[in-house]
Amino acid sequence: MIQRRFKQVDVFTAIPYQGNPVAVVLDGDGLTTEQMQAIARWTNLSETTFVCEPTTPEADYRLRIFCPGSELPFAGHPTIGTAHALLASGYVPRQPGVLVQECGVGLVRMRTGGDDISIALPRAHMRSVDASARSMVEQAIGAPLLETPVAVDLGIVWLTGQVASGELLRSLKPSMEGIAAAALQVGTNGITLFGLDGDTPEVRSFAPHEGTPEDPVCGSGNGAVAFYLRERRGPRDYRARQGRCIGRDGHIRITHADDTIWLGGQAVSCIEGSIIA
């Protein structure tokens, strides 16, 4: 066992302890999948990442992303948090202002500038679900959806639906058992809900059966909302908020450039040192 560089980064905030933390092991090479999973269980955060040598010359690095119970092909806040950790540790990208991450969904391109990092979201695959899924979600949250939710696959799959307003969304006290049952029925990792206050989405993401009852500030969940809104000609360029129901206040920026949706935000290091593994 050796000492490996470690950071814990708060994502979608410039204020420590207000965003969504991710644990980053900067020296992931040499660890087995089982060791990575054990470390992720130990940190007990929604995600823990491991930076490894890339397998393709186009990438700056290869990233493996673990929940406490499983590995993910992609996730938003771990991608931004890892990029922040690398840059704060002195890493120099191959191309100034650009990072290319290799992960389970392929190559993910990022733009960097100061503490702000934006991801070019992978192309989403969207599929309809039947009316019974809508009914299960509505029973679980105790409120109606504006229409039948949609499964949005960005590598992690969110059953995504809209309620009448952000204010209503913040007031909900969902049944985690009901949320898990609805997500499992349609084969998704969790449920992301949003409501609009004007053109500003308030977002909440739930994945109790994956070990995260409510994600503080969810990059992939916000990405799912952005694709949902684009399909329905909703707001395109905006700043969303998430986490206020659980004592956080994350800010997520969504912008469009041609056919690409960029998801971005700030990040700040809260812990740095090393782990033995």
Side-chain angles (χ1 to χ4, degrees):
M1 299 213 297
I2 62 173
Q3 287 194 335
R4 299 173 187 271
R5 292 174 298 155
F6 175 89
K7 283 183 178 284
Q8 189 163 305
V9 177
D10 213 8
V11 184
F12 297 123
T13 182
I15 303 170
Y17 321 120
Q18 287 296 300
N20 196 359
V22 59
V24 182
V25 178
L26 290 161
D27 305 304
D29 287 312
L31 291 170
T32 66
T33 297
E34 292 73 22
Q35 286 174 312
M36 292 180 182
Q37 188 66 75
I39 292 168
R41 283 196 299 270
W42 173 76
T43 67
N44 201 32
L45 296 176
S46 56
E47 282 96 9
T48 299
T49 68
F50 300 84
V51 179
C52 303
E53 284 293 318
T55 63
T56 173
E58 295 101 324
D60 286 273
Y61 59 93
R62 179 168 59 94
L63 193 68
R64 298 188 67 180
I65 306 168
F66 288 80
C67 293
S70 62
E71 185 172 5
L72 297 175
F74 171 77
H77 103 270
T79 294
I80 289 177
T82 301
H84 170 88
L86 272 171
L87 295 172
S89 299
Y91 180 78
V92 178
R94 297 166 188 255
Q95 181 181 346
V98 175
L99 279 172
V100 179
Q101 171 184 291
E102 178 187 353
C103 59
V105 296
L107 298 179
V108 175
R109 188 168 181 265
M110 285 171 276
R111 298 186 299 209
T112 67
D115 289 329
D116 194 277
I117 297 168
S118 296
I119 308 168
L121 289 174
R123 184 174 298 276
H125 302 283
M126 305 177 72
R127 60 179 168 85
S128 301
V129 299
D130 62 32
S132 66
R134 176 177 183 171
S135 177
M136 290 181 72
V137 173
E138 290 176 335
Q139 290 180 29
I141 67 175
L145 299 176
L146 295 188
E147 54 187 75
T148 301
V150 176
V152 183
D153 184 350
L154 288 158
I156 180 170
V157 189
W158 291 102
L159 183 61
T160 307
Q162 181 177 5
V163 300
S165 68
E167 181 179 8
L168 172 61
L169 182 67
R170 290 189 296 273
S171 74
L172 299 179
K173 301 185 184 303
S175 158
M176 291 299 123
E177 183 177 348
I179 289 283
L184 286 167
Q185 174 174 293
V186 295
T188 63
N189 295 95
I191 295 177
T192 287
L193 303 173
F194 74 97
L196 292 175
D197 292 329
D199 284 342
T200 301
E202 185 90 21
V203 179
R204 296 179 72 179
S205 302
F206 307 95
H209 62 298
E210 298 277 3
T212 306
E214 180 161 2
D215 197 318
V217 196
C218 182
S220 59
N222 275 273
V225 170
F227 278 103
Y228 182 104
L229 285 170
R230 187 170 76 173
E231 287 289 309
R232 287 155 179 76
R233 300 186 183 279
R236 289 174 63 84
D237 296 348
Y238 58 80
R239 287 183 180 270
R241 297 182 75 176
Q242 188 172 3
R244 289 191 281 177
C245 295
I246 54 174
R248 312 289 179 86
D249 190 11
H251 296 255
I252 304 94
R253 187 186 64 260
I254 297 292
T255 56
H256 288 67
D258 298 324
D259 196 39
T260 300
I261 297 178
W262 290 86
L263 179 145
Q266 294 181 290
V268 59
S269 297
C270 295
I271 299 173
E272 56 183 305
S274 62
I275 64 170
I276 299 172

